[in-house]
Structures are given as structure tokens and as C-alpha cells.
Amino acid sequence: MLEAVLNSDDKYEKIWQGGLTPYLVSVVCGGLASLLIFDPMFVALMVFAPLPVLYFCLSGCLKRATQLGVIFGFSSMLPLVIKMTKIIPLPATLGFLLLFTVVLALQFILPRLVLGKLKSSGDSKYLMLMPWVYAAAASAITLVYNLPIAGHWLPMLTFQSFDWSRQLVSVAGSFTFMFVTSLIAASALLLLLNRSRRALITSAAAALVVCIMFIAGYSQTPEIDRNVRVAAITTILPEEVSSSWFSSFPPTLKTNDWLPIYQRYANLTQDAAGKGAKIIAWPEFSLMIKGDVDEANLKASLTVLSKDLAVTIIAGFVNVDAARNTLFGITPSGENTTYFKHFLVPDIESSWLKPGAANFGMLHVKELDLNIGMRTCYDNDFPIGTREAVQAGADIMVTPYADWEGIRKGHARLNASHAAENHISTLRPSLDGISTIVSPEGEFIQSGPSFSNQDQILIDDMPISKPGTLYTKFGDWLGWLSLMLLIVVGVVRYRSSKA
């Protein structure tokens, strides 16, 4: 029983409850979580890693809960953020570290704030509410990841590990994943501390809710209508070009500097078209061009290439003078769309590029009777754009990326999560990353590294289904419902304590 544990007079229990033990446990558990998050096969262990910290937070004062939450958040995020410093400047990475430390700390602070200190005196119903409040806190906090500097990459980083999670996110996106895994973990903690009848009933109710979530997810199996052959292409940039383009931002360019690299992509496009591809995507930053004259010439060249090969092309490039990270889509009949990246990576892009107004671009392909939604790299850390594109009639998504060592696998999994959330196939060419072709259920049909020392053509048949899920229709409903639950329980708890 929790009562016995919290009120024990045993000297060893006093040592366990006092001194530095809770803080050391927070450091160890945070470090364990940071190691496990890099290997998705251990996601289940990562979910249970915070439980000792949760126990110490709920059995101590609010000050200690805050301290332990911050220690856990910092120690779990520090190794991950260090990896980001390879490409993102230090001030921005420190901002990430601060933000995610606070977010993870709130997952412990909020249950302690809402439930109060759990002890033998008072009504034990608040102990029975612990799994629900912890799960609601995890889900409500996920709303913070909608902020421009955040993104949903943390809660969804490991989702791709298990087939069941790919079905689950179609109910309420990353909110479902956070709610269900936290509910399961906290119910296990409750049963470990308290095996009363009420605890068993509470855990059974939690199991029932989890089952309902699974049933809701698996009942939304997408129906495949047809297949379209697609390709993601990347070329290896010569060392002098890579150094010129990416050593400093904005780069110093001359008119027509882009032509040799364009020709390499044009040749790869021709090869992919010869293998039957009808939609061919180039990665983000596939070309750097100087200004509007270069952009007009590039678009004209892509228009001719698309018409001659009878393929649809989506190409990512940066117009340096215009300060725009751009996607240009062109069909054989001449229909075209220009999309400007909306969410810019803090500092490395936001310091010199201008964001686009829209969350997504849309290209209608008359030849295939198909609508293509378009988003760029960091845009996809935020699920709202993909959801809006599906609501607007997108049949597939094309999402060019530029990655770097340390986030390659995580970005590929994150992008696949949005396919599963909305049941929409996704084509993802990645510069210096992992290019993927993803099914409507978030499974990798094809994937391959683009950071090897050779050009890449990733090609396969992409299944086309009628996109749309509960998450597409209702969005972040679980996050807001969880926030309401926390407020209601907190108010009831406050009033009962006053009485």
C-alpha cells in the first residue's frame, strides 16, 4: 500500500525518501530516457523510465516536484540537443533545451499540483485518479509542441517502432500516443503501490479506455484505390559546391551558378521517368539560386523538362536574394504551384529567410486526376499543415527535406507519423538524410540513405487511398479534453482541501 510506503518509520525508508536519493533517481531516469529515445525498439522502457520520478514528485512537496521535474527534463534532453548543435547554432539549441526541459518538467509538476501530496490522511480517491491525471498532463502538455519553436518531433520520435502505434495516431495524432502510453505506465505504478479493489477497478477502467482507442484506430483502415509510380531523387554535391552553398548563410552566389547541379538532377529525373515514375520529387536545397532572373530561368527549364518527359516534378530550391525557401511543382500540362516554407528552423533559417504565409501548397495533376499537398522539412514537425492539406483535398503529400547526422532517422519517422495520422501516402526526398516512400498507414514502402557517396533514385508504386481520419476531422481534441480534465480535477481538489 502507498500509505505504508509513505508513512514507514523504518530508517532505510527515511534514507530512501530523504537526502539526495530522489535527485539521483531523476538524473538516472532522465539519462536512461535519453539513451532509449535513440533506439525506438526500447520505446516501452522509455515510457516507464519516468515512473520513479513521478512517485517521488507525488509523495513530496511541490518544490521538490518542480526540482525533480526540471532535473529529469534537463538530463533526458541534453544528449539529444547536443546532437542538434552540429547544424543549429548554440543560442537556438539552448532555447530548445530550455523549452523541452520545462515541458517535460510540467509532466511531473502538473499531477502534483492537481492531486496534491498523496498521503494516508484524506480521501484516497485522488490516488486512484493518479493514472488519469498523469495521462491527461502528458496529453495536454503536447499542445505546447504546436508552438513555432517546438514541433511534435519529441512525442512522435519513437512512434514508428510498433505497428499498433501507427494505427493509434489516426485517433488523435501524437496526443493519443502520449495519453495511452502514460495511462498504461501510471496504471502500472498504481498497481505496484496499491493493490486495493479500487486500484484494480481504476486500472481496469484505464485498460478499457486503451482498448477503445485501439478499436477506434484499427476501424479506420484505409481503402487503397490505385497505385501511382513515384520517385525521390538526390545527387551528391561536389565538395566545392557544398562548401559554397552551406558554409555560411546567406551564401554568396553568381547568376547561373545552379546550372551544373540542375543538369545532374535533370539527368536523374530522366532516368526515373524511364523507369516509369510519374511523380518525381527533388529534395529541399536541391538548388541555390541567386535571384529572380535565376528563378524564372529555373522554372522555365523545369516546365520544359516536365512536358518533355510527361512527368510531374516537385523541386526544392532557395532564392537567396528573395530570401525564400521554395517548392515549385509543375505538371506536363503546365499547371504549377509555388510554395514558400512556412516554419523556418530557428536561427539557421529564420535569421535570413522569410516564412511563407500558407501551411501547405497544393498542385493539381490533371493527367493523374490527383491533388498533391506540398510541405518542406521543418514544416512537417507541425501536423497542422498536413491535416489542412488533407481537408483541402490532397490525395498524397510530397515533403522534401534536408537533414543532417543525428536527426536522420527521427525525421523520417516523424514524417511517416503524419501519413499515419491522416492516412495519406507521402513521398519524401531528403538531402543528406533518408529518403522514403510511405504508405497511408505510415509504413515504409521504400527507404534509403541519401548521404552515401552516390546519386540516388528511390522508386516504387505508391498506394493512393481516400485520406482522412478522426484526427483529420477533429484535430487536437484529446489535448484540449485533457486540459479540461486537469482544470476540473484541480478545482475540485482545491475546494475539497479548503473545506
Side-chain angles (χ1 to χ4, degrees):
M1 294 288 290
L2 181 62
E3 298 176 2
V5 174
L6 296 181
N7 294 322
S8 173
D9 292 328
D10 186 88
K11 61 181 180 180
Y12 298 108
E13 185 62 29
K14 290 181 179 180
I15 295 174
W16 177 253
Q17 290 287 344
L20 297 177
T21 301
Y23 302 95
L24 294 175
V25 169
S26 294
V27 172
V28 171
C29 289
L32 180 64
S34 71
L35 294 175
L36 297 176
I37 201 171
F38 289 121
D39 190 341
M41 293 307 296
F42 292 98
V43 64
L45 294 177
M46 187 189 73
V47 169
F48 288 97
L51 293 187
V53 184
L54 177 63
Y55 164 73
F56 281 119
C57 289
L58 292 176
S59 61
C61 63
L62 182 59
K63 179 181 178 180
R64 187 172 80 170
T66 303
Q67 294 170 341
L68 296 180
V70 169
I71 291 172
F72 178 87
F74 182 84
S75 58
S76 61
M77 288 308 304
L78 183 61
L80 192 61
V81 171
I82 287 175
K83 283 181 172 288
M84 298 169 61
T85 59
K86 295 182 178 181
I87 188 68
I88 298 178
L90 184 61
T93 57
L94 291 177
F96 275 114
L97 179 60
L98 176 62
L99 173 64
F100 289 115
T101 295
V102 172
V103 169
L104 291 176
L106 285 174
Q107 193 166 341
F108 304 100
I109 297 171
L110 286 179
R112 173 59 182 80
L113 193 63
V114 170
L115 294 173
K117 182 178 180 180
L118 297 181
K119 52 187 179 180
S120 58
S121 60
D123 195 338
S124 63
K125 65 183 179 183
Y126 294 109
L127 174 60
M128 300 304 130
L129 286 174
M130 183 263 289
W132 303 98
V133 170
Y134 180 64
S139 177
I141 290 168
T142 305
L143 291 168
V144 177
Y145 297 121
N146 288 329
L147 295 174
I149 193 177
H152 282 240
W153 60 271
L154 180 59
M156 296 308 296
L157 188 60
T158 54
F159 110 99
Q160 192 68 20
S161 311
F162 300 103
D163 290 338
W164 57 262
S165 61
R166 287 198 289 268
Q167 298 292 342
L168 201 60
V169 294
S170 64
V171 178
S174 55
F175 298 91
T176 332
F177 185 75
M178 297 299 290
F179 183 87
V180 166
T181 53
S182 299
L183 184 60
I184 293 172
S187 296
L189 177 62
L190 174 63
L191 290 176
L192 181 65
L193 300 176
N194 189 312
R195 295 182 180 85
S196 67
R197 181 180 178 184
R198 295 182 68 178
L200 292 173
I201 293 174
T202 298
S203 299
L208 178 62
V209 170
V210 171
C211 289
I212 292 173
M213 291 283 192
F214 276 111
I215 292 172
Y218 277 90
S219 65
Q220 299 182 86
T221 303
E223 296 182 5
I224 306 303
D225 178 52
R226 54 188 165 127
N227 292 302
V228 174
R229 198 156 183 80
V230 301
I233 62 173
T234 53
T235 190
I236 300 302
L237 298 177
E239 183 62 34
E240 63 274 13
V241 174
S242 180
S243 176
S244 172
W245 286 5
F246 302 118
S247 60
S248 64
F249 296 110
T252 302
L253 302 175
K254 297 179 181 178
T255 302
N256 294 330
D257 275 355
W258 54 276
L259 284 173
I261 305 303
Y262 168 82
Q263 192 55 55
R264 297 176 69 158
Y265 273 107
N267 292 338
L268 288 172
T269 301
Q270 186 173 5
D271 292 343
K275 296 177 181 178
K278 296 299 181 183
I279 300 172
I280 301 171
W282 303 9
E284 181 189 25
F285 289 106
S286 57
L287 296 169
M288 289 276 203
I289 62 175
K290 177 173 174 51
D292 292 341
V293 173
D294 276 349
E295 181 167 338
N297 291 335
L298 172 59
K299 288 181 175 179
S301 299
L302 288 169
T303 300
V304 172
L305 184 64
S306 173
K307 183 178 180 180
D308 289 347
L309 298 178
V311 297
T312 295
I313 301 172
I314 294 94
F317 65 89
V318 173
N319 184 328
V320 174
D321 288 352
R324 293 289 196 182
N325 189 334
T326 307
L327 287 184
F328 178 67
I330 181 70
T331 72
S333 61
E335 295 180 86
N336 65 85
T337 293
T338 299
Y339 167 72
F340 302 122
K341 187 175 183 179
H342 179 70
F343 290 101
L344 300 176
V345 178
D347 201 0
I348 193 172
E349 287 186 321
S350 62
S351 62
W352 67 286
L353 293 173
K354 295 184 292 187
N359 277 324
F360 66 94
M362 187 77 78
L363 176 66
H364 177 68
V365 185
K366 181 174 62 177
E367 294 81 1
L368 301 174
D369 189 25
L370 198 70
N371 291 322
I372 300 176
M374 305 188 310
R375 305 186 77 203
T376 306
C377 197
Y378 191 57
D379 284 337
N380 296 283
D381 282 23
F382 305 87
I384 184 172
T386 303
R387 196 169 74 243
E388 289 180 349
V390 174
Q391 291 172 344
D395 297 300
I396 68 169
M397 294 297 298
V398 174
T399 56
Y401 273 69
D403 289 316
W404 63 90
E405 185 181 357
I407 67 166
R408 290 165 177 158
K409 291 182 179 179
H411 253 173
R413 291 198 298 269
L414 176 65
N415 187 248
S417 75
H418 300 318
E421 287 170 351
N422 301 280
H423 283 175
I424 186 166
S425 295
T426 304
L427 176 62
R428 177 186 183 269
S430 175
L431 184 69
D432 196 27
I434 299 174
S435 297
T436 60
I437 301 172
V438 182
S439 77
E441 293 180 300
E443 297 174 330
F444 292 120
I445 299 171
Q446 283 281 355
S447 64
S450 61
F451 48 88
S452 57
N453 293 320
Q454 58 184 6
D455 295 342
Q456 180 194 67
I457 299 178
L458 193 72
I459 187 167
D460 212 317
D461 292 329
M462 172 182 281
I464 310 297
S465 66
K466 180 63 178 176
T469 62
L470 287 173
Y471 180 64
T472 307
K473 295 177 182 178
F474 302 110
D476 301 342
W477 66 270
L478 184 56
W480 293 111
L481 183 63
S482 298
L483 182 60
M484 291 175 59
L485 175 63
L486 289 176
I487 294 173
V488 170
V489 174
V491 169
V492 172
R493 170 73 180 183
Y494 176 77
R495 287 185 175 181
S496 65
S497 65
K498 285 291 185 179

